[in-house]
Amino acid sequence: MSFTPAASIPLAIDTIEVQGTHAYLASGKTLTIYDVSNPASPRREGAYTFPEEIWAFTVSGSFAYVGANFFGLGVLDISNPAAPLLRGSLKTPGQAKAPAIFGTKALVVDHMAGLVLVDISNPAKPVSLGEYFVDGYARDVVTSGSLAYAVDSPTGFYVLDLAKPGPLEPVSSLQSGTGLRAVSVSAAGGQGPRLAALTGGGFLQVYDVSNPAKPVKMPPFRTPGGAQRVALEGTLAYVADGAAGLQVVDLAQPSNPTVVGSHKTTTPARDVAVSDSLVFVVTASEVVILRRTP
Amino acid sequence: MKRAAIVAVGILLLTLPGTSATDQWPQFRGPHAGLVPDDPALPESWSETENVVWKAKIPGLGWSSPIVWDDHVFVTAAISAGQEAAPIKGLYDPGDDQGSLKASSAHRWMLYDVDFRTGVIRWQRELHSALPTTSRHIKNTFASETPVTDGERVYAYLGSVGLVAALDMNGKTVWTTNIGAFDGRSRYGGGSSPVLHKDRLYIVNDNNTQSFIVALDRKTGREAWRVNRAETENWATPVVWENELRTEIVAAGTGRIRSYDLEGKLLWELDGMTNLDTPTPFTRHGLLYLSSGYPGVAPRPVFAVRPGASGDISLKGDETNNKFIAWYQPLLGTYNTSALVHGDYYYTLLDRGFLLCHDARTGEQVYGRQRISAESSGFTASPWAYNGKIFLLSEDGDTFVVQAGREFKLLGKNSIAEMSMATPAIVRGSVILRTQSSLYRIAKGARP
C-alpha cells in the first residue's frame, strides 16, 4: 500500500473525524468543519468554540456530540456546516471526554463517573440515564451497532450493550491491557473476525470481539513509533504512530499483525481518520490528506 | 448585651473540661487515625449557620489540617502577593502539565493560633517569605503539611521552602532549621506532615534530588539522623507504630514502603505501592494498614501488616499474604484519602465518591462500592467516626454521614458551601473544619 499527499490543512489540531465530504477537526475549545469534497483543496466552512477544551467528539447524523471537559456533553447541530449551532448540553459529574452514539443514547466517558449514559432524543435537553463506574480512568469509547467498546487506563476493556434496558452493565470486561487510551472497532458484517484495536503504552492491542461476551486478547503489537490512535477499516488498522507517522497494520491474522504500508510525516502523528480512498493524518502542525493506492 | 452573655455561657458550657473523651488533637487525623471516642455532645448535623460556634477567616491558601491543644487551634497558610491559580474541585485530568504550576509572586508562610473558644486569631507569625522555588499541583497549596504539637511547642514544616520551625504556645520562635526544599518527580508540591515521638520530630521528604527521612531533636531542632531514600515523591505522613515488639517509623513512598527503627536503621520494606502515594499509614487491632491507589495504574494495593517483620516482606507471585502480611487487596487503595478502621471494619473512601467496607482483620469484603452522592466533586479529606457514624467530607464542603456497620446507609448531609480538602479535628464536643477561606468550630446547640 502506498500513499500520495493530496493536500494539507495547516492547522495544529488534536483529533479528527471524517464523514462523507466533511472533515471535523478539534483543537483546544474549537470544532472546525472543512469541506473535503475536493481533497486537493480543502475549504473551511465553519467553526464552533465551546467554553471548555474538547477532549473528543463523534459525528452522527446532523449532530456532533462533543466531550467538552467540565462543560459536559455538547450537542452541536452541524446541519449547516457554515454555522454550527449548539442545541443542548449536559454537565456530567467530571470532565466529559469521549462520547459514542447508539440511536437516541450517548455513552460519555467521564473522568469522575466512568461511563455516563445519556438520553439524546431531545437534542436541546440531554438527560442522564445512569452511570457505570470503571476502576481506572475512563479514556475512550466507540459504538458499533448497539455495542459500545470502552477503555480505561490502566487496564480495562469493556463491552456494553446499549440496547439492553435497565442499569448500565457490561456484557464483558477484561483487566488486561497496558496504559490504554483509545479504541477503534471494525464495522459489523465485514470479512474476518470482528476486531477492536486499542492504543496506549506505545502498543497496538487487538481484541477479537466476535463474541462480545468473551473478547479474546491478542498479543500486543509494538509499532515503530508508539501507537497514539488508530482507525480500523475491515482488518486494516491505520495507526497514528507518533514519530513514525502513519503505519498501516494488517490484522487479517490478528495474532500475527503485519505492517503493510506507511507514510512518514514531518512531525509526529497523533490521530488518523479514513474515508474511502483518503487517509487524514493529524500531526502537531497540520492535517495531511493522503490518497492511498492498494 | 443579653445575647452576648448567652453566647458566652454557651461557649463556657461547650468548653468545660471532661465533657468529651478526646481532649487534644495534636496531629493530622488526631491520636487515633480519625477514630473519635463516642460522645453524645458531638454534633452530627450542621450547616453554615446550624451548630456553628464560630467561623474564622484564615488569610492565604493552605490545606494543612487544623490541630488543637487546649484553647489553641493551629493552621498554616501561604499568602501570595499576587494572584495565583485557584484550586479546582474534583478528580480530573489537568492536561499537558499534569496540573503542575509555579507561583507567580512572592509568598508569606503563616502560622495561625486561633482561640478555640472564640475563633479570634490569638497570634499569627510569618515563618518565611520568598518566591517559592518549587512547584505545586493546581489543587495543592504551599502550606499543605499539617503542623504537630506536644502542648509545649507547635512544630510547623513548610516543605516548599524546607523550613521547620518550633514555636511555643505564645508564638515565640524556639528554633528553626532548614532541611532543604525539592521538587518531587511530578512537581506537585508537598503534603507529608511531621510526626512527633518522645524527643524527636520525624519528617519524610521524598523528591527528585535526594529523598530522605530525618529525625530532629524536638527541643533544639538539631538533626539526630538522616537516612536517604530511593523514593521520588510521596505525600503520606509517616506513622510511629508502637506495637508489642518495638516502636518503628513507617514511611510510605513511590513503589515501596520502608520501616525504620528509632535510630533510622531499616527494619523492613515492602514493594507494590503505586507511583503516587498519599494515604497515611495507620494502626488498629495490632495491624498496620498501608494503602496506595493512584487510579491510573494497577494494582492499587492495601496491605495489613503484622508486627515483627524484617527484610523484604514483599508478596511473591500470586501470594495474597505471608508471615507478616495478614491480608492484601490488590484494587482497594485510595488516591488521596486515608482509610478508617471503626470497630471490626475497614472503610475505604474512594476519591471519586464511593465507600467500601471490609473486615479489618481478614480483608474480606463486607460491602462493595456504594455511591455516596452522584453530585459530589470528589473526596480528599480523610474520614472520621464517632457515635456509630462515619463522616465523609467532600471537596464541595458537604459532610456525608453514613451509618457504621455491615450495611451501607446514608443518614444525612451537612453542607458548608466551600471547597474543603483538609481533614477536620474533633475535640471536646467540637468539630474544627477548614474550608478554603475559613475555619469553623461546629458544636451541638451552638449559634454563631
Side-chain angles (χ1 to χ4, degrees):
Chain A
M1 182 177 291
S2 60
F3 298 95
T4 310
S8 72
I9 302 171
L11 274 182
I13 68 156
D14 304 313
T15 185
I16 186 169
E17 185 168 326
V18 179
Q19 293 273 337
T21 57
H22 287 91
Y24 303 86
L25 317 175
S27 173
K29 300 174 181 176
T30 302
L31 186 77
T32 306
I33 304 173
Y34 272 74
D35 182 339
V36 291
S37 54
N38 177 4
S41 182
R43 184 172 54 83
R44 184 184 185 279
E45 293 221 63
Y48 185 87
T49 298
F50 284 84
E52 298 256 353
E53 180 187 4
I54 297 170
W55 286 91
F57 65 93
T58 189
V59 174
S60 178
S62 56
F63 294 98
Y65 299 88
V66 180
N69 210 29
F70 292 111
F71 177 74
L73 172 70
V75 182
L76 194 66
D77 187 336
I78 52 172
S79 53
N80 178 4
L85 179 68
L86 185 70
R87 292 283 296 276
S89 65
L90 175 73
K91 171 80 182 82
T92 57
Q95 292 166 297
K97 292 192 166 175
I101 306 300
F102 166 63
T104 57
K105 293 175 182 173
L107 189 62
V108 183
V109 162
D110 179 88
H111 199 70
M112 277 284 287
L115 300 169
V116 181
L117 188 63
V118 180
D119 180 348
I120 51 169
S121 52
N122 179 357
K125 199 170 183 181
V127 178
S128 175
L129 297 174
E131 300 170 6
Y132 179 75
F133 182 76
V134 293
D135 267 324
Y137 285 136
R139 297 292 191 191
D140 197 14
V141 64
V142 292
T143 48
S144 178
S146 69
L147 294 176
Y149 304 83
V151 294
D152 78 353
S153 184
T155 61
F157 175 58
Y158 307 82
V159 184
L160 304 98
D161 187 351
L162 302 186
K164 195 176 155 192
L168 199 56
E169 287 288 340
V171 177
S172 60
S173 68
L174 289 176
Q175 297 292 328
S176 58
T178 307
L180 305 176
R181 299 193 76 86
V183 59
S184 179
V185 66
S186 58
Q191 287 187 334
R194 192 161 198 204
L195 302 175
L198 288 65
T199 52
F203 293 94
L204 182 65
Q205 176 62 65
V206 177
Y207 290 86
D208 182 338
V209 291
S210 302
N211 179 357
K214 285 189 179 174
V216 179
K217 183 187 177 189
M218 298 296 152
F221 180 67
R222 181 174 280 284
T223 51
Q228 302 295 305
R229 295 187 78 90
V230 58
L232 265 183
E233 191 188 59
T235 57
L236 290 179
Y238 292 79
V239 181
D241 200 38
L246 172 70
Q247 298 284 316
V248 185
V249 182
D250 187 349
L251 301 171
Q253 294 179 26
S255 60
N256 185 25
T258 312
V259 174
V260 294
S262 65
H263 179 83
K264 188 82 170 75
T265 49
T266 52
T267 53
R270 51 171 66 158
D271 197 9
V272 60
V274 181
S275 178
D276 297 327
S277 63
L278 299 175
V279 180
F280 297 74
V281 184
V282 172
T283 74
S285 57
E286 61 181 349
V287 180
V288 182
I289 305 175
L290 303 171
R291 293 184 199 276
R292 64 177 169 178
T293 308
Chain B
M1 188 68 182
K2 189 175 178 182
R3 177 173 166 75
I6 291 169
V7 170
V9 169
I11 289 169
L12 187 63
L13 288 171
L14 284 165
T15 54
L16 281 174
T19 55
S20 169
T22 301
D23 289 334
Q24 316 291 4
W25 194 270
Q27 64 185 43
F28 176 64
R29 301 200 78 197
H32 305 296
L35 195 58
V36 182
D38 290 346
D39 177 0
L42 280 164
E44 292 168 13
S45 66
W46 58 83
S47 69
E48 288 183 61
T49 54
E50 178 200 358
N51 287 340
V52 174
V53 182
W54 49 254
K55 173 185 178 182
K57 285 276 183 190
I58 304 296
L61 202 55
W63 292 132
S64 61
S65 295
I67 59 169
V68 185
W69 193 277
D70 292 342
D71 285 341
H72 303 268
V73 181
F74 296 110
V75 288
T76 58
I79 302 173
S80 173
Q83 283 284 65
E84 306 294 337
I88 300 170
K89 293 182 288 187
L91 204 60
Y92 47 87
D93 191 334
D96 291 340
D97 294 331
Q98 298 299 308
S100 176
L101 51 82
K102 288 283 215 183
S104 64
S105 305
H107 279 58
R108 295 186 296 131
W109 281 263
M110 305 298 296
L111 173 64
Y112 298 100
D113 177 1
V114 179
D115 189 325
F116 178 81
R117 294 167 301 169
T118 64
V120 172
I121 294 177
R122 182 184 287 115
W123 53 258
Q124 55 185 298
R125 297 290 178 269
E126 182 181 302
L127 302 176
H128 190 75
S129 65
L131 177 68
T133 55
T134 57
S135 304
R136 66 173 172 91
H137 189 275
I138 189 169
K139 280 177 73 176
N140 201 355
T141 67
F142 289 119
S144 292
E145 301 88 352
T146 298
V148 62
T149 182
D150 52 16
E152 289 181 54
R153 290 174 287 274
V154 55
Y155 306 85
Y157 169 49
L158 311 174
S160 52
V161 290
L163 183 76
V164 189
L167 292 84
D168 70 17
M169 304 304 265
N170 296 314
K172 182 182 172 192
T173 301
V174 180
W175 56 260
T176 64
T177 188
N178 197 302
I179 61 172
F182 311 96
D183 270 322
R185 180 174 51 87
S186 304
R187 297 176 290 112
Y188 285 170
S192 177
S193 303
V195 293
L196 278 168
H197 180 257
K198 296 193 172 169
D199 287 334
R200 284 178 180 166
L201 181 72
Y202 298 96
I203 296 171
V204 171
N205 185 325
D206 288 343
N207 59 70
N208 229 9
T209 306
Q210 180 55 69
S211 301
F212 59 89
I213 177 170
V214 65
L216 303 176
D217 184 295
R218 79 158 78 184
K219 293 191 180 75
T220 65
R222 276 197 294 270
E223 196 169 303
W225 53 261
R226 177 186 289 231
V227 173
N228 288 340
R229 288 161 53 81
E231 287 63 42
T232 54
E233 60 189 356
N234 166 32
W235 298 269
T237 297
V239 62
V240 178
W241 186 15
E242 292 183 293
N243 57 56
E244 67 265 32
L245 299 175
R246 64 195 176 200
T247 300
E248 53 196 284
I249 306 151
V250 183
T254 303
R256 190 159 274 245
I257 304 148
R258 299 175 201 274
S259 178
Y260 307 86
D261 74 7
L262 296 178
E263 296 307 317
K265 180 187 166 197
L266 184 67
L267 294 172
W268 56 266
E269 53 192 321
L270 168 58
D271 208 356
M273 304 289 267
T274 66
N275 56 336
L276 301 174
D277 291 297
T278 312
T280 287
F282 66 99
T283 64
R284 175 77 40 192
H285 301 315
L287 295 172
L288 169 72
Y289 296 98
L290 305 159
S291 167
S292 177
Y294 172 57
V297 300
R300 300 181 288 276
V302 173
F303 299 98
V305 176
R306 297 188 184 96
S310 62
D312 188 342
I313 64 167
S314 302
L315 295 170
K316 307 284 189 297
D318 294 332
E319 286 180 347
T320 58
N321 59 70
N322 63 25
K323 183 179 176 186
F324 293 107
I325 297 177
W327 58 265
Y328 161 71
Q329 283 283 355
L331 292 171
L332 191 59
T334 52
Y335 189 11
N336 289 300
T337 68
S338 302
L340 174 83
V341 170
H342 179 269
D344 295 330
Y345 303 114
Y346 179 99
Y347 295 92
T348 301
L349 173 58
L350 293 183
D351 304 63
R352 285 181 283 178
F354 295 90
L355 191 71
L356 300 89
C357 180
H358 288 71
D359 186 301
R361 292 178 180 82
T362 66
E364 289 173 12
Q365 181 174 295
V366 175
Y367 59 73
R369 278 195 306 251
Q370 302 292 322
R371 173 67 86 181
I372 299 161
S373 166
E375 283 80 41
S376 286
S377 293
F379 291 78
T380 292
S382 296
W384 69 95
Y386 51 74
N387 298 349
K389 297 176 177 66
I390 313 293
F391 296 84
L392 313 166
L393 172 59
S394 77
E395 292 180 5
D396 304 298
D398 296 327
T399 301
F400 295 90
V401 186
V402 173
Q403 172 181 285
R406 296 188 65 84
E407 289 180 21
F408 176 83
K409 186 176 180 187
L410 185 62
L411 300 174
K413 180 175 85 168
N414 306 322
S415 296
I416 289 178
E418 193 183 19
M419 187 173 178
S420 305
M421 286 174 58
T423 299
I426 298 99
V427 282
R428 286 168 262 137
S430 293
V431 173
I432 309 296
L433 190 148
R434 183 178 198 177
T435 63
Q436 187 172 330
S437 71
S438 302
L439 201 59
Y440 291 78
R441 180 180 164 199
I442 297 159
K444 210 179 245 185
R447 289 190 180 87

